[in-house]
PDB file of all heavy atoms in Angstrom:
ATOM      1  N   ALA C 107     -13.640  39.694  16.548  1.00 98.00           N
ATOM      2  CA  ALA C 107     -12.668  38.921  17.305  1.00 98.00           C
ATOM      3  C   ALA C 107     -13.311  37.504  17.747  1.00 98.00           C
ATOM      4  O   ALA C 107     -12.653  36.445  17.522  1.00 98.00           O
ATOM      5  CB  ALA C 107     -12.225  39.684  18.545  1.00 98.00           C
ATOM      6  N   ALA C 108     -14.598  37.562  18.213  1.00 98.00           N
ATOM      7  CA  ALA C 108     -15.218  36.303  18.636  1.00 98.00           C
ATOM      8  C   ALA C 108     -15.360  35.324  17.440  1.00 98.00           C
ATOM      9  O   ALA C 108     -15.168  34.185  17.508  1.00 98.00           O
ATOM     10  CB  ALA C 108     -16.535  36.642  19.293  1.00 98.00           C
ATOM     11  N   TYR C 109     -15.843  35.872  16.224  1.00 98.00           N
ATOM     12  CA  TYR C 109     -15.990  35.125  15.087  1.00 98.00           C
ATOM     13  C   TYR C 109     -14.714  34.362  14.583  1.00 98.00           C
ATOM     14  O   TYR C 109     -14.860  33.315  13.976  1.00 98.00           O
ATOM     15  CB  TYR C 109     -16.530  35.975  13.932  1.00 98.00           C
ATOM     16  CG  TYR C 109     -17.955  35.807  13.570  1.00 98.00           C
ATOM     17  CD1 TYR C 109     -18.878  36.944  13.646  1.00 98.00           C
ATOM     18  CD2 TYR C 109     -18.483  34.627  13.179  1.00 98.00           C
ATOM     19  CE1 TYR C 109     -20.218  36.759  13.370  1.00 98.00           C
ATOM     20  CE2 TYR C 109     -19.847  34.499  12.839  1.00 98.00           C
ATOM     21  CZ  TYR C 109     -20.671  35.560  13.006  1.00 98.00           C
ATOM     22  OH  TYR C 109     -22.064  35.428  12.692  1.00 98.00           O
ATOM     23  N   GLN C 110     -13.509  34.997  14.889  1.00 98.00           N
ATOM     24  CA  GLN C 110     -12.269  34.279  14.445  1.00 98.00           C
ATOM     25  C   GLN C 110     -11.994  33.018  15.201  1.00 98.00           C
ATOM     26  O   GLN C 110     -11.111  32.180  14.860  1.00 98.00           O
ATOM     27  CB  GLN C 110     -11.186  35.272  14.574  1.00 98.00           C
ATOM     28  CG  GLN C 110     -11.357  36.683  13.870  1.00 98.00           C
ATOM     29  CD  GLN C 110     -11.855  36.524  12.499  1.00 98.00           C
ATOM     30  OE1 GLN C 110     -11.334  35.850  11.700  1.00 98.00           O
ATOM     31  NE2 GLN C 110     -13.133  37.150  12.332  1.00 98.00           N
ATOM     32  N   THR C 111     -12.754  32.719  16.249  1.00 98.00           N
ATOM     33  CA  THR C 111     -12.448  31.597  17.119  1.00 98.00           C
ATOM     34  C   THR C 111     -13.581  30.468  17.167  1.00 98.00           C
ATOM     35  O   THR C 111     -13.520  29.550  17.790  1.00 98.00           O
ATOM     36  CB  THR C 111     -12.226  32.016  18.516  1.00 98.00           C
ATOM     37  OG1 THR C 111     -13.484  32.475  19.200  1.00 98.00           O
ATOM     38  CG2 THR C 111     -11.265  33.252  18.623  1.00 98.00           C
ATOM     39  N   VAL C 112     -14.538  30.696  16.282  1.00 97.00           N
ATOM     40  CA  VAL C 112     -15.723  29.803  16.319  1.00 97.00           C
ATOM     41  C   VAL C 112     -15.739  28.982  14.993  1.00 97.00           C
ATOM     42  O   VAL C 112     -15.240  29.584  13.906  1.00 97.00           O
ATOM     43  CB  VAL C 112     -17.067  30.434  16.520  1.00 97.00           C
ATOM     44  CG1 VAL C 112     -17.004  31.234  17.856  1.00 97.00           C
ATOM     45  CG2 VAL C 112     -17.430  31.384  15.340  1.00 97.00           C
ATOM     46  N   PRO C 113     -16.329  27.794  14.877  1.00 95.00           N
ATOM     47  CA  PRO C 113     -16.397  27.076  13.599  1.00 95.00           C
ATOM     48  C   PRO C 113     -17.179  27.855  12.578  1.00 95.00           C
ATOM     49  O   PRO C 113     -18.044  28.711  12.884  1.00 95.00           O
ATOM     50  CB  PRO C 113     -17.174  25.898  13.967  1.00 95.00           C
ATOM     51  CG  PRO C 113     -16.944  25.589  15.400  1.00 95.00           C
ATOM     52  CD  PRO C 113     -16.824  27.097  15.995  1.00 95.00           C
ATOM     53  N   LYS C 114     -16.792  27.647  11.226  1.00 94.00           N
ATOM     54  CA  LYS C 114     -17.492  28.475  10.146  1.00 94.00           C
ATOM     55  C   LYS C 114     -18.965  28.153  10.123  1.00 94.00           C
ATOM     56  O   LYS C 114     -19.669  29.083   9.407  1.00 94.00           O
ATOM     57  CB  LYS C 114     -16.692  28.004   8.868  1.00 94.00           C
ATOM     58  CG  LYS C 114     -15.258  28.444   8.798  1.00 94.00           C
ATOM     59  CD  LYS C 114     -15.037  29.873   9.028  1.00 94.00           C
ATOM     60  CE  LYS C 114     -13.548  30.282   8.986  1.00 94.00           C
ATOM     61  NZ  LYS C 114     -13.341  31.693   9.296  1.00 94.00           N
ATOM     62  N   ASP C 115     -19.455  27.110  10.532  1.00 94.00           N
ATOM     63  CA  ASP C 115     -20.922  26.874  10.460  1.00 94.00           C
ATOM     64  C   ASP C 115     -21.757  27.415  11.556  1.00 94.00           C
ATOM     65  O   ASP C 115     -23.005  27.249  11.663  1.00 94.00           O
ATOM     66  CB  ASP C 115     -21.188  25.318  10.449  1.00 94.00           C
ATOM     67  CG  ASP C 115     -20.614  24.613  11.633  1.00 94.00           C
ATOM     68  OD1 ASP C 115     -20.072  25.196  12.524  1.00 94.00           O
ATOM     69  OD2 ASP C 115     -20.820  23.378  11.771  1.00 94.00           O
ATOM     70  N   ARG C 116     -21.064  28.267  12.509  1.00 96.00           N
ATOM     71  CA  ARG C 116     -21.851  28.943  13.565  1.00 96.00           C
ATOM     72  C   ARG C 116     -22.089  30.462  13.254  1.00 96.00           C
ATOM     73  O   ARG C 116     -21.167  31.090  12.713  1.00 96.00           O
ATOM     74  CB  ARG C 116     -21.063  28.828  14.849  1.00 96.00           C
ATOM     75  CG  ARG C 116     -20.579  27.322  15.224  1.00 96.00           C
ATOM     76  CD  ARG C 116     -21.812  26.467  15.608  1.00 96.00           C
ATOM     77  NE  ARG C 116     -21.553  25.082  15.532  1.00 96.00           N
ATOM     78  CZ  ARG C 116     -21.468  24.292  16.654  1.00 96.00           C
ATOM     79  NH1 ARG C 116     -21.729  24.943  17.856  1.00 96.00           N
ATOM     80  NH2 ARG C 116     -21.192  22.995  16.579  1.00 96.00           N
ATOM     81  N   ILE C 117     -23.256  30.797  13.472  1.00 97.00           N
ATOM     82  CA  ILE C 117     -23.604  32.250  13.124  1.00 97.00           C
ATOM     83  C   ILE C 117     -24.076  32.873  14.421  1.00 97.00           C
ATOM     84  O   ILE C 117     -24.825  32.263  15.253  1.00 97.00           O
ATOM     85  CB  ILE C 117     -24.728  32.323  12.197  1.00 97.00           C
ATOM     86  CG1 ILE C 117     -24.233  31.823  10.754  1.00 97.00           C
ATOM     87  CG2 ILE C 117     -25.202  33.729  11.961  1.00 97.00           C
ATOM     88  CD1 ILE C 117     -23.131  32.541  10.193  1.00 97.00           C
ATOM     89  N   ALA C 118     -23.678  34.170  14.751  1.00 98.00           N
ATOM     90  CA  ALA C 118     -23.984  34.934  15.989  1.00 98.00           C
ATOM     91  C   ALA C 118     -25.478  34.998  15.944  1.00 98.00           C
ATOM     92  O   ALA C 118     -26.076  35.405  15.081  1.00 98.00           O
ATOM     93  CB  ALA C 118     -23.267  36.210  16.032  1.00 98.00           C
ATOM     94  N   HIS C 119     -26.046  34.818  17.248  1.00 98.00           N
ATOM     95  CA  HIS C 119     -27.491  35.069  17.397  1.00 98.00           C
ATOM     96  C   HIS C 119     -27.682  36.077  18.486  1.00 98.00           C
ATOM     97  O   HIS C 119     -28.774  36.699  18.560  1.00 98.00           O
ATOM     98  CB  HIS C 119     -28.243  33.747  17.640  1.00 98.00           C
ATOM     99  CG  HIS C 119     -28.027  33.256  19.022  1.00 98.00           C
ATOM    100  ND1 HIS C 119     -28.699  33.663  20.139  1.00 98.00           N
ATOM    101  CD2 HIS C 119     -27.164  32.227  19.451  1.00 98.00           C
ATOM    102  CE1 HIS C 119     -28.223  32.858  21.284  1.00 98.00           C
ATOM    103  NE2 HIS C 119     -27.254  32.111  20.857  1.00 98.00           N
ATOM    104  N   SER C 120     -26.709  36.396  19.344  1.00 98.00           N
ATOM    105  CA  SER C 120     -26.841  37.420  20.284  1.00 98.00           C
ATOM    106  C   SER C 120     -25.452  37.873  20.795  1.00 98.00           C
ATOM    107  O   SER C 120     -24.517  37.076  20.823  1.00 98.00           O
ATOM    108  CB  SER C 120     -27.702  37.089  21.477  1.00 98.00           C
ATOM    109  OG  SER C 120     -27.093  36.018  22.297  1.00 98.00           O
ATOM    110  N   MET C 121     -25.410  39.130  21.269  1.00 98.00           N
ATOM    111  CA  MET C 121     -24.191  39.625  22.040  1.00 98.00           C
ATOM    112  C   MET C 121     -24.635  40.650  23.009  1.00 98.00           C
ATOM    113  O   MET C 121     -25.635  41.454  22.795  1.00 98.00           O
ATOM    114  CB  MET C 121     -23.264  40.267  20.942  1.00 98.00           C
ATOM    115  CG  MET C 121     -23.823  41.396  20.106  1.00 98.00           C
ATOM    116  SD  MET C 121     -22.599  42.064  18.878  1.00 98.00           S
ATOM    117  CE  MET C 121     -21.346  42.727  20.002  1.00 98.00           C
ATOM    118  N   HIS C 122     -23.936  40.707  24.115  1.00 98.00           N
ATOM    119  CA  HIS C 122     -24.305  41.502  25.221  1.00 98.00           C
ATOM    120  C   HIS C 122     -22.882  42.154  25.698  1.00 98.00           C
ATOM    121  O   HIS C 122     -22.026  41.442  26.160  1.00 98.00           O
ATOM    122  CB  HIS C 122     -24.919  40.812  26.411  1.00 98.00           C
ATOM    123  CG  HIS C 122     -26.166  40.119  25.888  1.00 98.00           C
ATOM    124  ND1 HIS C 122     -27.431  40.530  26.294  1.00 98.00           N
ATOM    125  CD2 HIS C 122     -26.440  38.991  25.282  1.00 98.00           C
ATOM    126  CE1 HIS C 122     -28.408  39.774  25.802  1.00 98.00           C
ATOM    127  NE2 HIS C 122     -27.786  38.823  25.140  1.00 98.00           N
ATOM    128  N   GLY C 123     -22.856  43.494  25.684  1.00 98.00           N
ATOM    129  CA  GLY C 123     -21.632  44.148  26.012  1.00 98.00           C
ATOM    130  C   GLY C 123     -21.772  45.267  27.027  1.00 98.00           C
ATOM    131  O   GLY C 123     -22.797  45.804  27.134  1.00 98.00           O
ATOM    132  N   TYR C 124     -20.755  45.454  27.842  1.00 98.00           N
ATOM    133  CA  TYR C 124     -20.657  46.533  28.812  1.00 98.00           C
ATOM    134  C   TYR C 124     -19.579  47.472  28.523  1.00 98.00           C
ATOM    135  O   TYR C 124     -18.335  47.025  28.423  1.00 98.00           O
ATOM    136  CB  TYR C 124     -20.564  46.000  30.251  1.00 98.00           C
ATOM    137  CG  TYR C 124     -21.809  45.497  30.846  1.00 98.00           C
ATOM    138  CD1 TYR C 124     -22.268  44.189  30.742  1.00 98.00           C
ATOM    139  CD2 TYR C 124     -22.752  46.464  31.515  1.00 98.00           C
ATOM    140  CE1 TYR C 124     -23.440  43.759  31.252  1.00 98.00           C
ATOM    141  CE2 TYR C 124     -23.908  45.983  32.061  1.00 98.00           C
ATOM    142  CZ  TYR C 124     -24.242  44.722  31.944  1.00 98.00           C
ATOM    143  OH  TYR C 124     -25.419  44.222  32.461  1.00 98.00           O
ATOM    144  N   PHE C 125     -19.699  48.778  28.359  1.00 97.00           N
ATOM    145  CA  PHE C 125     -18.673  49.727  28.257  1.00 97.00           C
ATOM    146  C   PHE C 125     -18.211  50.132  29.681  1.00 97.00           C
ATOM    147  O   PHE C 125     -19.021  50.634  30.486  1.00 97.00           O
ATOM    148  CB  PHE C 125     -19.226  50.971  27.468  1.00 97.00           C
ATOM    149  CG  PHE C 125     -19.638  50.581  26.054  1.00 97.00           C
ATOM    150  CD1 PHE C 125     -20.999  50.204  25.793  1.00 97.00           C
ATOM    151  CD2 PHE C 125     -18.815  50.713  25.049  1.00 97.00           C
ATOM    152  CE1 PHE C 125     -21.427  49.937  24.508  1.00 97.00           C
ATOM    153  CE2 PHE C 125     -19.170  50.364  23.784  1.00 97.00           C
ATOM    154  CZ  PHE C 125     -20.503  49.957  23.472  1.00 97.00           C
ATOM    155  N   ILE C 126     -16.955  49.988  29.986  1.00 97.00           N
ATOM    156  CA  ILE C 126     -16.410  50.253  31.295  1.00 97.00           C
ATOM    157  C   ILE C 126     -15.694  51.533  31.300  1.00 97.00           C
ATOM    158  O   ILE C 126     -15.826  52.229  32.399  1.00 97.00           O
ATOM    159  CB  ILE C 126     -15.545  49.016  31.585  1.00 97.00           C
ATOM    160  CG1 ILE C 126     -16.338  47.767  31.663  1.00 97.00           C
ATOM    161  CG2 ILE C 126     -14.852  49.276  32.894  1.00 97.00           C
ATOM    162  CD1 ILE C 126     -15.612  46.456  31.607  1.00 97.00           C
ATOM    163  N   LEU C 127     -14.841  51.820  30.317  1.00 95.00           N
ATOM    164  CA  LEU C 127     -14.093  53.006  30.347  1.00 95.00           C
ATOM    165  C   LEU C 127     -14.146  53.589  28.882  1.00 95.00           C
ATOM    166  O   LEU C 127     -14.230  52.950  27.955  1.00 95.00           O
ATOM    167  CB  LEU C 127     -12.542  52.867  30.674  1.00 95.00           C
ATOM    168  CG  LEU C 127     -12.259  52.475  32.129  1.00 95.00           C
ATOM    169  CD1 LEU C 127     -10.768  52.077  32.117  1.00 95.00           C
ATOM    170  CD2 LEU C 127     -12.581  53.637  32.994  1.00 95.00           C
ATOM    171  N   GLY C 128     -14.061  54.968  28.815  1.00 93.00           N
ATOM    172  CA  GLY C 128     -13.955  55.650  27.481  1.00 93.00           C
ATOM    173  C   GLY C 128     -12.751  55.219  26.840  1.00 93.00           C
ATOM    174  O   GLY C 128     -11.581  55.219  27.440  1.00 93.00           O
ATOM    175  N   GLY C 129     -12.778  54.950  25.528  1.00 95.00           N
ATOM    176  CA  GLY C 129     -11.596  54.481  24.800  1.00 95.00           C
ATOM    177  C   GLY C 129     -10.787  55.737  24.306  1.00 95.00           C
ATOM    178  O   GLY C 129     -11.344  56.732  23.898  1.00 95.00           O
ATOM    179  N   ASP C 130      -9.427  55.541  24.249  1.00 95.00           N
ATOM    180  CA  ASP C 130      -8.588  56.520  23.750  1.00 95.00           C
ATOM    181  C   ASP C 130      -8.313  56.335  22.343  1.00 95.00           C
ATOM    182  O   ASP C 130      -7.892  55.242  21.748  1.00 95.00           O
ATOM    183  CB  ASP C 130      -7.196  56.446  24.477  1.00 95.00           C
ATOM    184  CG  ASP C 130      -6.214  57.490  24.200  1.00 95.00           C
ATOM    185  OD1 ASP C 130      -6.223  58.125  23.029  1.00 95.00           O
ATOM    186  OD2 ASP C 130      -5.419  57.983  24.986  1.00 95.00           O
ATOM    187  N   LEU C 131      -8.602  57.409  21.501  1.00 95.00           N
ATOM    188  CA  LEU C 131      -8.562  57.302  20.000  1.00 95.00           C
ATOM    189  C   LEU C 131      -7.247  57.021  19.479  1.00 95.00           C
ATOM    190  O   LEU C 131      -6.942  56.396  18.370  1.00 95.00           O
ATOM    191  CB  LEU C 131      -9.069  58.593  19.391  1.00 95.00           C
ATOM    192  CG  LEU C 131     -10.436  58.879  19.419  1.00 95.00           C
ATOM    193  CD1 LEU C 131     -10.789  60.243  18.852  1.00 95.00           C
ATOM    194  CD2 LEU C 131     -11.282  57.861  18.654  1.00 95.00           C
ATOM    195  N   ASN C 132      -6.135  57.308  20.342  1.00 95.00           N
ATOM    196  CA  ASN C 132      -4.765  57.212  19.873  1.00 95.00           C
ATOM    197  C   ASN C 132      -4.121  55.939  20.212  1.00 95.00           C
ATOM    198  O   ASN C 132      -2.909  55.775  19.874  1.00 95.00           O
ATOM    199  CB  ASN C 132      -3.960  58.410  20.496  1.00 95.00           C
ATOM    200  CG  ASN C 132      -4.436  59.685  20.047  1.00 95.00           C
ATOM    201  OD1 ASN C 132      -4.669  60.017  18.848  1.00 95.00           O
ATOM    202  ND2 ASN C 132      -4.751  60.578  20.912  1.00 95.00           N
ATOM    203  N   ILE C 133      -4.835  55.021  20.915  1.00 97.00           N
ATOM    204  CA  ILE C 133      -4.252  53.865  21.319  1.00 97.00           C
ATOM    205  C   ILE C 133      -5.017  52.538  20.591  1.00 97.00           C
ATOM    206  O   ILE C 133      -6.225  52.613  20.795  1.00 97.00           O
ATOM    207  CB  ILE C 133      -4.307  53.665  22.861  1.00 97.00           C
ATOM    208  CG1 ILE C 133      -3.538  54.771  23.515  1.00 97.00           C
ATOM    209  CG2 ILE C 133      -3.703  52.307  23.314  1.00 97.00           C
ATOM    210  CD1 ILE C 133      -3.618  54.789  25.020  1.00 97.00           C
ATOM    211  N   PRO C 134      -4.338  51.769  19.932  1.00 97.00           N
ATOM    212  CA  PRO C 134      -5.079  50.535  19.351  1.00 97.00           C
ATOM    213  C   PRO C 134      -5.695  49.753  20.499  1.00 97.00           C
ATOM    214  O   PRO C 134      -5.215  49.770  21.690  1.00 97.00           O
ATOM    215  CB  PRO C 134      -3.984  49.780  18.666  1.00 97.00           C
ATOM    216  CG  PRO C 134      -2.879  50.820  18.367  1.00 97.00           C
ATOM    217  CD  PRO C 134      -2.862  51.685  19.530  1.00 97.00           C
ATOM    218  N   ILE C 135      -6.790  48.970  20.151  1.00 98.00           N
ATOM    219  CA  ILE C 135      -7.409  48.200  21.161  1.00 98.00           C
ATOM    220  C   ILE C 135      -7.075  46.763  20.996  1.00 98.00           C
ATOM    221  O   ILE C 135      -7.124  46.213  19.857  1.00 98.00           O
ATOM    222  CB  ILE C 135      -8.972  48.350  20.957  1.00 98.00           C
ATOM    223  CG1 ILE C 135      -9.359  49.818  21.185  1.00 98.00           C
ATOM    224  CG2 ILE C 135      -9.751  47.478  22.013  1.00 98.00           C
ATOM    225  CD1 ILE C 135     -10.761  50.194  20.902  1.00 98.00           C
ATOM    226  N   THR C 136      -6.793  46.080  22.178  1.00 98.00           N
ATOM    227  CA  THR C 136      -6.481  44.620  22.062  1.00 98.00           C
ATOM    228  C   THR C 136      -7.646  43.865  22.590  1.00 98.00           C
ATOM    229  O   THR C 136      -8.297  44.195  23.558  1.00 98.00           O
ATOM    230  CB  THR C 136      -5.290  44.341  23.041  1.00 98.00           C
ATOM    231  OG1 THR C 136      -4.238  45.073  22.725  1.00 98.00           O
ATOM    232  CG2 THR C 136      -4.925  42.879  23.067  1.00 98.00           C
ATOM    233  N   TYR C 137      -8.111  42.914  21.763  1.00 98.00           N
ATOM    234  CA  TYR C 137      -9.300  41.968  22.059  1.00 98.00           C
ATOM    235  C   TYR C 137      -8.793  40.703  22.374  1.00 98.00           C
ATOM    236  O   TYR C 137      -8.173  39.918  21.584  1.00 98.00           O
ATOM    237  CB  TYR C 137     -10.267  41.974  20.868  1.00 98.00           C
ATOM    238  CG  TYR C 137     -10.866  43.314  20.589  1.00 98.00           C
ATOM    239  CD1 TYR C 137     -10.166  44.220  19.619  1.00 98.00           C
ATOM    240  CD2 TYR C 137     -11.999  43.706  21.039  1.00 98.00           C
ATOM    241  CE1 TYR C 137     -10.755  45.371  19.384  1.00 98.00           C
ATOM    242  CE2 TYR C 137     -12.561  44.975  20.787  1.00 98.00           C
ATOM    243  CZ  TYR C 137     -11.979  45.859  19.934  1.00 98.00           C
ATOM    244  OH  TYR C 137     -12.506  47.037  19.568  1.00 98.00           O
ATOM    245  N   GLU C 138      -9.131  40.290  23.703  1.00 98.00           N
ATOM    246  CA  GLU C 138      -8.792  38.955  24.217  1.00 98.00           C
ATOM    247  C   GLU C 138     -10.004  38.081  24.129  1.00 98.00           C
ATOM    248  O   GLU C 138     -11.026  38.423  24.811  1.00 98.00           O
ATOM    249  CB  GLU C 138      -8.152  38.998  25.505  1.00 98.00           C
ATOM    250  CG  GLU C 138      -6.862  39.856  25.585  1.00 98.00           C
ATOM    251  CD  GLU C 138      -6.319  40.047  26.928  1.00 98.00           C
ATOM    252  OE1 GLU C 138      -6.913  39.568  27.895  1.00 98.00           O
ATOM    253  OE2 GLU C 138      -5.241  40.685  26.970  1.00 98.00           O
ATOM    254  N   VAL C 139      -9.995  36.927  23.542  1.00 98.00           N
ATOM    255  CA  VAL C 139     -11.179  36.066  23.421  1.00 98.00           C
ATOM    256  C   VAL C 139     -11.052  34.788  24.427  1.00 98.00           C
ATOM    257  O   VAL C 139     -10.025  34.115  24.380  1.00 98.00           O
ATOM    258  CB  VAL C 139     -11.435  35.634  21.948  1.00 98.00           C
ATOM    259  CG1 VAL C 139     -12.716  34.714  21.876  1.00 98.00           C
ATOM    260  CG2 VAL C 139     -11.521  36.780  21.001  1.00 98.00           C
ATOM    261  N   ASP C 140     -11.915  34.579  25.247  1.00 97.00           N
ATOM    262  CA  ASP C 140     -12.083  33.428  26.094  1.00 97.00           C
ATOM    263  C   ASP C 140     -13.125  32.422  25.486  1.00 97.00           C
ATOM    264  O   ASP C 140     -14.229  32.817  25.103  1.00 97.00           O
ATOM    265  CB  ASP C 140     -12.541  33.810  27.471  1.00 97.00           C
ATOM    266  CG  ASP C 140     -11.483  34.512  28.236  1.00 97.00           C
ATOM    267  OD1 ASP C 140     -10.319  34.455  27.943  1.00 97.00           O
ATOM    268  OD2 ASP C 140     -11.854  35.194  29.211  1.00 97.00           O
ATOM    269  N   THR C 141     -12.595  31.126  25.453  1.00 97.00           N
ATOM    270  CA  THR C 141     -13.621  30.066  24.988  1.00 97.00           C
ATOM    271  C   THR C 141     -14.355  29.590  26.193  1.00 97.00           C
ATOM    272  O   THR C 141     -13.764  28.891  27.020  1.00 97.00           O
ATOM    273  CB  THR C 141     -12.780  28.898  24.278  1.00 97.00           C
ATOM    274  OG1 THR C 141     -12.164  29.431  23.191  1.00 97.00           O
ATOM    275  CG2 THR C 141     -13.686  27.699  23.889  1.00 97.00           C
ATOM    276  N   LEU C 142     -15.601  29.948  26.246  1.00 96.00           N
ATOM    277  CA  LEU C 142     -16.482  29.455  27.350  1.00 96.00           C
ATOM    278  C   LEU C 142     -17.162  28.108  27.135  1.00 96.00           C
ATOM    279  O   LEU C 142     -17.292  27.394  28.037  1.00 96.00           O
ATOM    280  CB  LEU C 142     -17.580  30.610  27.619  1.00 96.00           C
ATOM    281  CG  LEU C 142     -16.943  31.960  27.978  1.00 96.00           C
ATOM    282  CD1 LEU C 142     -18.123  32.880  28.318  1.00 96.00           C
ATOM    283  CD2 LEU C 142     -16.041  31.849  29.162  1.00 96.00           C
ATOM    284  N   ARG C 143     -17.492  27.952  25.797  1.00 96.00           N
ATOM    285  CA  ARG C 143     -18.289  26.636  25.583  1.00 96.00           C
ATOM    286  C   ARG C 143     -18.259  26.352  24.078  1.00 96.00           C
ATOM    287  O   ARG C 143     -18.452  27.266  23.249  1.00 96.00           O
ATOM    288  CB  ARG C 143     -19.664  26.770  26.053  1.00 96.00           C
ATOM    289  CG  ARG C 143     -20.539  25.462  25.795  1.00 96.00           C
ATOM    290  CD  ARG C 143     -21.912  25.563  26.445  1.00 96.00           C
ATOM    291  NE  ARG C 143     -22.634  24.252  26.342  1.00 96.00           N
ATOM    292  CZ  ARG C 143     -23.537  23.922  25.402  1.00 96.00           C
ATOM    293  NH1 ARG C 143     -23.801  24.777  24.429  1.00 96.00           N
ATOM    294  NH2 ARG C 143     -24.087  22.711  25.419  1.00 96.00           N
TER     295      ARG C 143
END
């Protein structure tokens, strides 16, 4: 999801995530991307 919002010449160098709740297998997941910089 994040990659879809950045210029093509940018490559990921790090990611840091927190799992907050267990996901339900029967419900699709919505990913909302915020542009920070």
Side-chain angles (χ1 to χ4, degrees):
Y109 254 120
Q110 306 317 299
T111 70
V112 302
K114 298 299 183 184
D115 58 358
R116 307 293 164 111
I117 296 297
H119 71 86
S120 67
M121 59 182 294
H122 301 255
Y124 280 92
F125 297 92
I126 298 167
L127 291 172
D130 187 329
L131 289 175
N132 300 309
I133 302 174
I135 301 175
T136 301
Y137 294 89
E138 300 175 355
V139 183
D140 287 339
T141 298
L142 299 184
R143 181 174 186 264

